[in-house]
Structures are given as structure tokens and as C-alpha cells.
Amino acid sequence: MLMSNTKSEPELLKSPVAWQGSRQISTSSTLLNSSPSAQYTISHFLESEERRNIQDSWDELGAEGSEHARIWHIYNDESTKTDAATTDGLNRGIDVLLVFTGLFSAVLTTFIIQSYQQMLPNPSDTTNALIAQLIADIRGSSLLNITNPIINILTPGEDLVPSTREIHWVNGLWFAALSCSLSAALVSMLAKQWIQPIPNVSGSPRYRARQRQRRHTQLQNWHVFAVINALPLLLHVALLLFFAGIIVLLWSGDIAITAATFAIVALAYTFYLGSMWMSLIYPDCPYQHPISEQLRLWISRKTAPVPLLDLEHGADGELQPMRALMTSTTVDPDHYIDACALVWLLQQSSNEDTVAATLQAIGGLPKEFTAFHVLRDAAAVPMVLQHFSSSFHRDLSFDLQWHVADAEGAERYCRAWVRLTHGTSLVWPRNLRAPLNSLREANNLHAAAIAACTIALNSLESRSPQLALIYHLKAFVKGDSNLNDLTQSWLLDTFLECSLSWELRAAIVSDISKRAIPVLLQLLQRAKEMSGTPHSRITIPLILRSITIGNVDLSLLWDEEKRSQAFHQTMIPVFASIVQNPGLYGVTGDVLDFSVTEFSQIAAPVFTRSNRFPLHIKDIARQGLSKLYLDGQVGVGLVPDWVLADILQILHPPVNVTPEQRPWFVKTLVHTLTASADLNIEIGCIRLLEPLLADCQSSVIRIFTEENGIAVLLRAAHTGDTDSRRLQLDCIRTLCVFIKSSAACYLQEEPLCPSHSPSLEKQFNLIFCSDFFKTLISAVGARRWWLAEIADIWLPSLLPLCQIRPEEQIWRRVEVVFRNFAENNIGEEGSERMVDDLDKMKSFLKS
């Protein structure tokens, strides 16, 4: 992103002093002393008609921060005028700077040309030196016999000529001054390109606002305005170097001239430094310097005390729980830019209507907005409260009551306060709680509901404000009130946040849950009947999970798309808990029926057709569906056949069925098998009957016999002759398991309790009188079934019954058919074991 290579936040956002200074950086400096009126850009003319149309318009409730919201039009209008004035002022200042730089450089170059010549070797000086040396040699020769050969030639004004060292210093200072001057010119030309506005005439209003704010933020982060304002300092330094060079040049000359020049320069720069100091001490002083604002900001950051944030106490010092964080901790770049744009409006605009529109737009930002801290740092919370109080009037001469003057405006400020204080422990001021209560009693239903949301979030330790949210929703469910989608969303989101932030006693939480869950389920039912995916359908599951289960995936709080995808995974444990303990949650009647139906429909297909759910979720679904099935709340005619078939598949294997529940489970399965003609339901019932009948107690066998289970399974097996080989196989296997368990019970109980023998004998008579053996012989003789199935289950299950009733004639035929089957599969695994079992059966028949 654009901000990845810069600071995470503009420094001007870190303190109110910084913001106060930043308000003047772009418009007040020595470069902008004569800033003209705004120069209109292309975007201004293209949007002029649009701006006139929106001046008196208002956004829909909850859309104050949307893509085409009024606040972005206002921002674009204000920023266009401000940027035009700022750019024009900077351009004029840079132009003046370039003109002065050119004149100064020309003058300075003239001086350098003259002084630089003095550094170069002069040919006349060499000639004069040679002549002087020649004269000295002649005078000292023996021919002239001059005793004093040295001649001192005095040059007028020789003491006033600067030395070679001084000439070097002068040239060094003047060349440095020329470098500073030309560098200022170079940077000035670059700065003209930096501040050139980029045309921003396409896209939605918010897109254009983001583009402008992103550029403005980058200009602030990279201190572009500070660099431009510091350009005159290069010229000031260049002048100082030039003056220093003049003083060095005059130092060896006339003392009076040197002193006068030095005094003038010292006086000028004393005034320069003094005016800079006064501008730092007195911000309103007219003697401002280009870097005065930057120096004040730097000093304020160094000397300002670090505020200590009290995370447990509000502004009034009262203990307040920390509200649950409903947004991601990672700041979205677009959200950050939006927040900076709103802060820019708050700080730059002096129009009260613009400030009010900006504060109200905060309430229209989405709850997943991640940059509310930027607005809080800009002192938006006190501004919201101040404007909220202005929405009321108080008659001090009569009843001292607060009367609502602007319910819609007060409601918008309440939403802004809720958004700004999200994830903090800030509380509503005591002196403004009376007007907030007055708003809660207003005739405006939406405003009253938003006031109730504000009070509930401000009173997390109280029971009544939490119940007030439920009363609003309950009245809507009953038809006593008509809440729009926005009001419903705010009530549900607020209750979700409260449920995650409660610090109430367990008994109070239980009472609130018992009152809230039936209402929430009815709302969920209404949402299901609506087309699309309403907000309530993806929020209610999180509320129900929070107050029934307790743990909520935090990522679901701010990601609505993920929340919608996780609907089934969220609601399955909730519905399972409700259907298992409906009285605990106050769920009865139609609400309970809806819970049962919804639970069956979302649990059955999800767990049979998806592998993305963890095992513990499947176990929860299995337990809940098992209870519903045993209670007769799901069955043939109560839910669709495909749902019931999936439920039976989920319940397999019946590992959580207690011994006391087994007889009732078997009875319910036989009833289902009797009432249904659906193939998948029959297969599901038979698969569940097999483990329930294996090694079971006599009570299970008695129930199965009394419910005519043998005939029901045989009917299904005969259906399988034409429809499903698997169904026929499952029926025969289940009957074999039943026969084995019945024979085992008979062999165990007959010696201990002979009175039970007649009832067990009756079960055996039913087996021999039925078509079981006929179906068995037909299946083994006519089809090539799996050898392992027959050798491991069918034949071993028949041996105990043959031992009990060897006199039945059907055994001879059974022995022949099974032996033929074994001989046809001789050599395969299981064939020898099958032959041994048949030999045992033959021995039983002989005895």
C-alpha cells in the first residue's frame, strides 16, 4: 500500500497540540502571507452542480459513511478549495523565492569574480619582484661599493590590503553562500512539482476523498510542507555567509567601516533571532518565521507529558468494564485514510454545519471499522458529546427537565459515541445521562432504540438496560412496533457486544438468557422467511452461542462473510443445547418446534455431506438428534424424508445410547421402519437396529418382538429382492443378530428363571413361522453372497437356535443349502470355518 514505506500514522495525529499546529502548516507561513482566494480546479467545475444539490440533503439512516454519503461530497468540496488556496500560496511564495535567489546570486557572483582573482598568481607581481631583486643585486655589487644594499620601497595603503589567508576565507564564505542560494533554487523548482495537484474527477465521492486524503497524508508524513517552508532558511544562511565574507574582507581595512558594517549585520540578525524566539513564545505574534510552526510542534512533543490511560475507570472515575473488541486489531489502510479524512474536516473546517455532519458521519461507519482510535486521538468524543447536548433544551425556570429538540441529530451522535468508544472503558458523562434518558422516552422509535443501546453499553453491570434491548425486539416480534433493518441491526449488535462484556452474576445472566433466547429464535425464524441474507440471520447465531455455549470465535465478530459461512457450525451446538434443555432457556411451543426443525435441517445434511467440521461438533449434533429422535420430535411426517434419512445416518453407530434407552430406541426404529417406504430411511433404521440387537438384554428382545420387528424386517428384505441388494443383506444380517441374541438370552435365563422360557419360546415360534428361513435359503441359494458375511455372521448366529430347536424340519434344508454354498467356495478364506459350523449343526440334528 501507499503507506507501507512511511510511518504508521502521521505525527500530527499524536497530540491535540500537533493537530492545532498542523491546521496552520499548510496555510500559514511566511510563504503564504498573502494567500489569495481559492483557485477552482477542474473537479470544482465538474462537481459544482452536484455540490449545490447536496448542500441541504441528508443521508439515509446508517448510511452517513457509505460510498456516496454526503460527508464525502463535503470533504471533496472543502479539500478542493483548501488545496487550491494552499497550492496557489505556495507557488507564489516559491516564485518570490526564485526571483530573490536569482538577484542575490547575480550580485554575489559579481563579488566572487573580483575576490577570486586575488587568489590567482598575478604576472605583474612576478615581474616587480624580479626587478626588485635585480636592483638589490646591482646595489650590492663591488663595483658600486654601496655599503647598504637593502632598499625598502613603501607602497601607499599597503597595510589596508587583506592577507592571502583572509582572501581564502572570503572566497570560501561567498562560494558557500552561492551554493546555498542555488540549492534553494533547485529545491524550489522540484517543490513546484511536488505540490502540483493531481486531477481527481472520476470515481465515487468516497474514492475521490480517499485519493486526496492519501496524497495529503503522504505530504504530511514526508514533511513536504516543512521542506518548502524551510527553503527561505537556505537564503537566510546564504545572506549570513555573504555578510560574514564582507566583514572578513574589511577586517584588515579601515576600522570604522568594519565596525559600522559589523554593527548593521549584528543588529539585523539579532532582530532575526529575536523575532523567531517571540514567534515561539507567542503563537499569535505577527513576527512568524517559516519554521516557527515546526519548531513549536517539535517542542510540544518533547515537553508534553505522556497521558496515562485508565482502562478501568471512565471520565468520572467510576469503575467500568472494558467493552469487548468487535473489530480486528489490524488497521485497514482504507479505514485509516477515511478516519484521517474525517479528522482533517474536524480540524480544518470552522463551519459548525460541516463539523456536525462530520461527527454524525462517524455513526454511519461500519462496526468493523478499524481506525476509530484515530478519531479518538483527535478528541472526537468530547465534540460528539458537546453536539449531543446541543440537541436538547432545558427549561431552568420551570421543571428542570431536558426536552428533545432534535431527536434525529441526537440519535446520530449516540451512534457516533458508541462507535468511538468501542473496545474501551469510556463511560457516558453523568451530566448528560438525563438527556439520554429523555431521548429513550422519545416518540421517535428508532431514536429511542439507539438511546437504549447507548445506555446498555454504558451500564454493563446493570440488568435493566440489558433487558430493555430485548423488550424492543420482543415488541417487534409481537407486531407492537415496526423496527427498520438499521434499528434491528443496532439492537442485535449491541446485545451481542453486551453479552460478550457482561460482568453480572450468574443468576442475572441466566434470567436475561431465558428472556432473550425465545425472542432471538423468533427473529431468526422471521429472518429465514425473508429473501437474501439479512443482518439478523448472521448476528443472532453469535448472540445465541455467546449466551448458551459461551465461547465465540473472535474472527467472526468483524468478518460478516466468514460469519455467514460458519452459520451451521455456530448454530449446531446452540440448537443441540436448546433442544436438550428447552426449559432452561424458556423455549416452548412453536419456538421449540422451530428449533427442532431447524436443528434437524441444518445438522443432517451438513454432517453427512461435508468433512470440514470437527469431530466434537459432530458428536454434539449426534447427541442432540438422538434425544429428538427418542422423544419423537423428529420422525416420519415430522421432517422431510431426506432429512430423516440423514439423521439416521448421523446416529450410526448408537454409541451414546444407555442400556435404559435401548428398548425405547429399538421401538422407535421399528415404528419408523413400519411407517416409511423410503429406501434410505429403511437402510438407516436397519443399520441402527443391528448394533442395538447385538448382545442385548431380554427387554430389548421382548420390545422388538412385541412391535413385530421380525415381520417388518422380512418385508424390507422382500423389497430388497427387486430394489436393493444391500437392503436385503442388512435385513438378513440384523435378523441373524437378533436370533443369536435371543438364543443367548434363552440359554442364560432358562436355567435361572424357567418362567421366562415361554416368552422366549414364543419368539422362536415367530421366527420359524415367518418367511425368514425361506428368504434366507432363497438368498443363499439363488445369489452368490459374500462368503465372509455368511461364514462369520449368518451361520454362527443360527447355530445356537439349532441347538435349542433341533427338531425343526427346516434345518435339514438349511444345512444342505449352506453346505452347497461352502463347497462352491472351497479354498477361499472362511470356507473351512463354514464347513466346521455345518458339521456342528449336523451333530445337533442327529442328537
Side-chain angles (χ1 to χ4, degrees):
M1 302 300 295
L2 284 172
M3 301 173 59
S4 61
N5 59 344
T6 62
K7 301 177 182 179
S8 61
E9 297 183 7
E11 294 183 0
L12 54 91
L13 293 178
K14 295 183 179 178
S15 67
V17 177
W19 266 111
Q20 183 180 5
S22 68
R23 188 172 179 177
Q24 300 177 359
I25 288 176
S26 60
T27 57
S28 64
S29 68
T30 55
L31 297 178
L32 303 177
N33 288 335
S34 301
S35 298
S37 59
Q39 299 296 313
Y40 298 126
T41 61
I42 297 176
S43 62
H44 172 85
F45 293 107
L46 292 177
E47 296 182 356
S48 58
E49 183 65 26
E50 180 183 6
R51 293 193 189 98
R52 285 195 293 269
N53 294 334
I54 66 169
Q55 288 300 318
D56 300 322
S57 63
W58 287 95
D59 299 309
E60 295 182 1
L61 284 176
E64 296 87 355
S66 60
E67 191 76 18
H68 298 274
R70 175 174 176 260
I71 190 62
W72 306 122
H73 292 282
I74 295 175
Y75 176 88
N76 291 329
D77 190 12
E78 294 290 331
S79 62
T80 297
K81 293 185 289 187
T82 302
D83 291 347
T86 302
T87 302
D88 186 78
L90 290 174
N91 277 322
R92 287 175 179 268
I94 292 174
D95 291 341
V96 172
L97 189 67
L98 288 173
V99 171
F100 180 82
T101 301
L103 295 174
F104 176 74
S105 299
V107 173
L108 182 58
T109 302
T110 303
F111 278 85
I112 291 177
I113 291 174
Q114 296 299 323
S115 64
Y116 187 71
Q117 296 297 327
Q118 300 182 32
M119 294 179 59
L120 300 176
N122 194 343
S124 60
D125 293 340
T126 304
T127 302
N128 294 335
L130 292 174
I131 292 175
Q133 182 65 36
L134 178 60
I135 293 172
D137 291 341
I138 293 174
R139 290 174 60 87
S141 64
S142 58
L143 296 176
L144 297 178
N145 195 19
I146 298 175
T147 59
N148 186 14
I150 299 175
I151 301 175
N152 292 326
I153 301 175
L154 298 176
T155 304
E158 183 179 3
D159 295 338
L160 301 179
V161 176
S163 64
T164 303
R165 181 179 180 83
E166 290 173 346
I167 292 297
H168 280 273
W169 269 99
V170 169
N171 281 275
L173 292 171
W174 285 354
F175 272 111
L178 182 61
S179 300
C180 290
S181 178
L182 295 179
S183 298
L186 173 63
V187 178
S188 297
M189 289 187 293
L190 293 175
K192 275 186 166 292
Q193 300 297 321
W194 299 340
I195 63 175
Q196 186 66 29
I198 299 175
N200 188 19
V201 296
S202 62
S204 65
R206 186 172 67 177
Y207 173 80
R208 298 199 302 272
R210 283 177 175 175
Q211 291 296 98
R212 186 268 168 189
Q213 183 61 40
R214 186 174 287 110
R215 171 176 167 78
H216 178 76
T217 301
Q218 294 301 318
L219 290 175
Q220 295 286 352
N221 286 345
W222 290 97
H223 307 290
V224 173
F225 296 120
V227 171
I228 295 176
N229 289 334
L231 288 177
L233 292 179
L234 282 176
L235 287 181
H236 300 169
V237 173
L239 281 172
L240 179 62
L241 294 174
F242 176 68
F243 287 140
I246 290 178
I247 293 174
V248 172
L249 183 64
L250 297 176
W251 193 260
S252 299
D254 189 89
I255 300 299
I257 297 175
T258 304
T261 304
F262 181 83
I264 294 173
V265 173
L267 183 63
Y269 274 89
T270 300
F271 176 78
Y272 179 87
L273 296 176
S275 61
M276 180 180 293
W277 177 257
M278 285 187 291
S279 67
L280 294 177
I281 301 301
Y282 306 103
D284 296 331
C285 174
Y287 302 122
Q288 295 294 320
H289 278 253
I291 61 169
S292 296
E293 296 294 341
Q294 294 295 332
L295 289 176
R296 277 199 293 269
L297 291 177
W298 181 79
I299 294 174
S300 64
R301 285 196 297 267
K302 293 295 183 181
T303 59
V306 179
L308 298 178
L309 299 178
D310 190 348
L311 300 180
E312 295 185 353
H313 293 77
D316 298 331
E318 55 185 306
L319 185 65
Q320 170 72 6
M322 177 71 74
R323 285 164 54 184
L325 186 63
M326 304 283 289
T327 60
S328 174
T329 56
T330 303
V331 179
D332 186 274
D334 288 338
H335 294 173
Y336 178 78
I337 292 298
D338 290 345
C340 291
L342 295 178
V343 169
W344 184 88
L345 271 179
L346 291 176
Q347 301 296 334
Q348 294 293 335
S349 178
S350 58
N351 188 316
E352 282 298 321
D353 292 337
T354 300
V355 174
T358 305
L359 295 175
Q360 292 174 2
I362 296 175
L365 296 174
K367 63 179 182 299
E368 61 270 11
F369 194 78
T370 57
F372 285 119
H373 65 283
V374 177
L375 295 163
R376 286 196 300 269
D377 293 342
V381 175
M383 299 174 67
V384 167
L385 295 173
Q386 179 183 358
H387 282 74
F388 172 82
S389 64
S390 65
S391 301
F392 298 81
H393 65 84
R394 190 178 187 185
D395 189 359
L396 300 177
S397 62
F398 183 59
D399 55 1
L400 300 179
Q401 294 293 322
W402 291 84
H403 301 281
V404 182
D406 182 10
E408 293 183 357
E411 173 271 330
R412 286 184 170 93
Y413 294 127
C414 284
R415 285 192 280 122
W417 183 87
V418 171
R419 289 287 189 251
L420 287 171
T421 57
H422 171 74
T424 69
S425 59
L426 295 176
V427 298
W428 191 270
R430 288 184 178 273
N431 61 330
L432 293 181
R433 293 181 184 179
L436 184 61
N437 290 326
S438 299
L439 182 63
R440 185 179 58 177
E441 304 299 330
N443 294 328
N444 188 319
L445 184 60
H446 173 72
I450 297 301
C453 293
T454 307
I455 295 174
L457 290 171
N458 190 60
S459 307
L460 295 173
E461 71 287 351
S462 300
R463 172 178 175 270
S464 298
Q466 314 304 318
L467 292 178
L469 303 177
I470 300 302
Y471 293 152
H472 278 281
L473 295 173
K474 187 175 182 180
F476 170 69
V477 170
K478 290 183 175 181
D480 298 337
S481 63
N482 186 18
L483 301 179
N484 56 37
D485 292 340
L486 175 65
T487 309
Q488 293 181 55
S489 299
W490 269 85
L491 288 170
L492 292 173
D493 289 337
T494 302
F495 192 74
L496 172 61
E497 185 175 351
C498 290
S499 66
L500 296 172
S501 309
W502 280 336
E503 291 191 3
L504 300 170
R505 294 193 300 271
I508 297 178
V509 173
S510 178
D511 177 66
I512 295 176
S513 301
K514 193 171 184 179
R515 296 171 184 267
I517 289 178
V519 177
L520 294 173
L521 289 174
Q522 293 178 67
L523 282 173
L524 186 62
Q525 186 176 8
R526 290 172 63 103
K528 183 182 178 182
E529 297 171 356
M530 298 174 60
S531 59
T533 306
H535 179 77
S536 56
R537 181 167 174 79
I538 60 178
T539 304
I540 292 176
L542 287 184
I543 302 176
L544 291 172
R545 185 177 179 92
S546 173
I547 60 182
T548 56
I549 308 300
N551 58 326
V552 177
D553 185 1
L554 297 180
S555 63
L556 299 179
L557 298 178
W558 55 78
D559 192 341
E560 290 198 359
E561 182 179 356
K562 185 177 179 181
R563 189 188 307 181
S564 179
Q565 296 174 354
F567 173 80
H568 295 80
Q569 188 171 354
T570 303
M571 287 303 298
I572 285 173
V574 172
F575 277 131
S577 179
I578 292 175
V579 299
Q580 289 180 1
N581 300 284
L584 179 64
Y585 302 109
V587 179
T588 58
D590 294 339
V591 180
L592 180 59
D593 293 340
F594 165 74
S595 301
V596 171
T597 304
E598 186 73 6
F599 180 41
S600 303
Q601 292 183 353
I602 67 174
V606 166
F607 288 102
T608 56
R609 302 173 188 175
S610 176
N611 295 322
R612 63 187 181 92
F613 290 90
L615 292 177
H616 74 276
I617 295 292
K618 294 186 177 182
D619 292 338
I620 292 173
R622 185 177 292 111
Q623 294 174 7
L625 292 174
S626 177
K627 185 179 186 303
L628 291 178
Y629 186 71
L630 290 177
D631 293 343
Q633 293 178 299
V634 293
V636 179
L638 299 177
V639 295
D641 287 346
W642 65 270
V643 173
L644 181 57
D646 287 342
I647 291 175
L648 294 173
Q649 185 175 351
I650 290 175
L651 296 181
H652 184 272
V655 293
N656 296 321
V657 179
T658 62
E660 294 76 13
Q661 292 176 328
R662 277 199 173 195
W664 186 253
F665 207 157
V666 170
K667 182 178 180 179
T668 306
L669 288 171
V670 174
H671 285 176
T672 302
L673 197 57
T674 303
S676 175
D678 184 84
L679 178 63
N680 292 324
I681 293 178
E682 291 178 345
I683 293 176
C685 290
I686 295 171
R687 290 184 65 212
L688 284 170
L689 280 173
E690 180 182 346
L692 291 173
L693 294 175
D695 300 325
C696 61
Q697 298 177 356
S698 59
S699 58
V700 177
I701 297 174
R702 190 178 303 108
I703 288 292
F704 182 77
T705 305
E706 292 175 356
E707 299 299 326
N708 204 18
I710 298 175
V712 171
L713 288 178
L714 288 175
R715 177 184 64 81
H718 288 309
T719 303
D721 287 338
T722 57
D723 293 339
S724 173
R725 184 184 181 197
R726 175 187 174 185
L727 178 61
Q728 189 178 35
L729 178 66
D730 290 343
C731 289
I732 296 176
R733 185 196 309 113
T734 303
L735 285 173
C736 290
V737 170
F738 169 73
I739 292 172
K740 182 179 180 180
S741 299
S742 300
C745 288
Y746 179 85
L747 295 175
Q748 292 176 0
E749 296 184 3
E750 197 271 337
L752 299 176
C753 187
S755 60
H756 289 174
S757 297
S759 61
L760 295 175
E761 288 286 349
K762 180 181 178 180
Q763 298 170 13
F764 297 148
N765 292 334
L766 291 175
I767 295 173
F768 286 107
C769 294
S770 67
D771 294 336
F772 168 70
F773 285 101
K774 180 180 178 181
T775 304
L776 180 67
I777 292 172
S778 175
V780 176
R783 299 186 181 185
R784 187 174 179 83
W785 296 96
W786 294 282
L787 176 62
E789 176 79 15
I790 297 176
D792 295 339
I793 300 177
W794 292 14
L795 186 55
S797 299
L798 296 176
L799 287 178
L801 182 59
C802 181
Q803 181 181 0
I804 297 172
R805 300 282 289 271
E807 67 276 6
E808 299 293 338
Q809 297 298 321
I810 194 64
W811 292 118
R812 303 286 180 182
R813 189 177 176 188
V814 169
E815 191 267 339
V816 172
V817 172
F818 274 75
R819 192 173 294 276
N820 290 335
F821 183 84
E823 291 175 356
N824 291 332
N825 293 277
I826 196 70
E828 297 184 11
E829 184 179 358
S831 60
E832 295 181 1
R833 187 168 59 255
M834 186 174 179
V835 171
D836 293 339
D837 290 338
L838 289 173
D839 292 339
K840 291 181 182 179
M841 178 180 291
K842 189 175 182 179
S843 64
F844 292 152
L845 297 178
K846 288 182 179 181
S847 61

